Amino acid sequence: MSEQSSNMVALMEHAAKALVEKPAEVLVESFDEDGEIVLEMTVSEDDMGRIIGRQGRTARALRHLLRAASMKTNKRYELEILE
Amino acid sequence: MPIPDKIAAANKINEFLTGIVKHGGLRLKYRITVDPPLPEERDWERPEILVEFAGPDSSLLLDRGGEVLRAIELLAIEMLRLPGNEHEKISFDCNNHRSMRIEELRIAAGVAAERVRKTGSPYEFAPMSSRERRIVHLALRSFEDLHTESQGEGSRRCLVVYPKNYKQEGKAR
């Protein structure tokens, strides 16, 4: 039973777009790697700092959010932020 | 300094959370209050925007000491681009977890103060976030025979309670 469809790609895209100066350049793609789903995120080079955050705190917060939301999907997700 | 446009900030938070809840498939509802009523004497954290979550998926937010609740709060604060010292103007809570934690910290501060007075030795708290350390600093501010200080770096930074003249004595040796 899942009337609400969780969408991890849309979730990460939505969160990233809220954080950056150039939301149009946010791209999240998903790849299935041996049962684990890897989300690859690309943002404008100028926005890299905003996505990573001081001492990596923003990136860590995105991963915490992904981990919590993905618990309902019964799949493992990993967020990779591409340089 | 207050948040320049609180209504606009609250609307942005609402838009942000709508997407998080929807895309995350989270069974959560939330209420955003601008300038929530607070007791006059409250001298720690006086949020100007309070977000309160509730619902069947609350436990996802509150796991591991509210890790995900704090993550979403941090993302919202980053999104609003508030200057560093304005972070406390935004507070996210869920099932009163945060207000309970603040109460817990204030009680712990009192217990630590008692112990330092009794033993004359410093007391070191477990590592905490800057916001939590601030709660303890403020709770002990009026204790004139003690002083508090943060030590260590990054995620290991913790607060230490000292007897007033402890440090100077240490250095004199």
Side-chain angles (χ1 to χ4, degrees):
Chain A
M1 187 210 81
S2 101
E3 72 263 23
Q4 69 282 88
S5 52
S6 41
N7 181 337
M8 296 304 114
V9 172
L11 176 70
M12 287 295 105
E13 246 173 26
H14 172 75
K17 283 182 175 178
L19 293 166
V20 300
E21 291 284 355
K22 297 176 179 165
E25 292 187 37
V26 171
L27 180 69
V28 180
E29 290 181 290
S30 88
F31 299 94
D32 199 326
E33 286 184 1
D34 299 322
E36 186 183 76
I37 298 171
V38 177
L39 301 185
E40 288 190 354
M41 179 184 285
T42 4
V43 301
S44 158
E45 211 181 303
D46 308 335
D47 281 324
M48 229 22 215
R50 294 191 181 283
I51 285 293
I52 305 293
R54 201 156 53 91
Q55 294 166 333
R57 287 198 305 186
T58 308
R60 200 176 316 131
L62 287 170
R63 293 194 171 101
H64 286 328
L65 173 61
L66 178 64
R67 181 177 48 73
S70 66
M71 276 183 195
K72 302 172 69 86
T73 68
N74 295 319
K75 286 182 193 138
R76 277 174 52 100
Y77 282 84
E78 182 89 36
L79 175 66
E80 276 182 18
I81 299 165
L82 299 185
E83 298 278 343
Chain B
M1 231 181 52
I3 301 170
D5 187 345
K6 290 179 226 179
I7 303 295
N11 283 333
K12 278 189 88 172
I13 292 174
N14 181 39
E15 204 179 306
F16 179 65
L17 293 180
T18 304
I20 298 292
V21 168
K22 182 177 145 224
H23 299 308
L26 302 170
R27 288 172 303 163
L28 287 173
K29 54 192 172 134
Y30 57 87
R31 179 172 60 195
I32 303 176
T33 314
V34 173
D35 288 328
L38 297 168
E40 196 63 31
E41 68 278 12
R42 174 164 163 154
D43 65 350
W44 62 96
E45 289 204 10
R46 299 188 68 89
E48 293 175 7
I49 299 178
L50 176 66
V51 180
E52 294 166 290
F53 287 94
D57 282 336
S58 294
S59 61
L60 284 181
L61 299 184
L62 295 178
D63 247 11
R64 308 194 205 185
E67 191 174 69
V68 177
L69 180 66
R70 277 183 287 117
I72 298 176
E73 179 184 69
L74 180 138
L75 293 175
I77 289 169
E78 291 297 322
M79 171 189 75
L80 294 172
R81 312 223 201 293
L82 297 177
N85 49 354
E86 298 293 290
H87 288 183
E88 298 193 354
K89 301 284 164 68
I90 312 267
S91 183
F92 279 38
D93 205 346
C94 178
N95 298 347
N96 289 319
H97 172 268
R98 181 159 181 80
S99 44
M100 289 288 283
R101 173 68 180 150
I102 290 175
E103 198 151 322
E104 205 175 272
L105 286 170
R106 292 177 60 80
I107 291 167
V111 173
E114 263 324 292
R115 181 186 293 197
V116 172
R117 279 174 173 164
K118 212 175 282 174
T119 63
S121 329
Y123 177 83
E124 188 178 313
F125 276 87
M128 292 187 282
S129 70
S130 60
R131 281 175 75 153
E132 292 200 349
R133 293 196 307 271
R134 196 168 132 75
I135 303 283
V136 178
H137 279 303
L138 289 174
L140 298 179
R141 189 169 48 174
S142 59
F143 290 53
E144 280 167 10
D145 55 331
L146 303 174
H147 100 111
T148 59
E149 181 176 307
S150 291
Q151 293 176 350
E153 293 305 319
S155 61
R156 284 203 303 270
R157 198 156 168 80
C158 63
L159 184 141
V160 187
V161 184
Y162 288 98
K164 188 82 184 174
N165 297 312
Y166 186 81
K167 276 230 131 166
Q168 285 84 329
E169 285 164 19
K171 278 182 190 141
R173 262 191 291 142

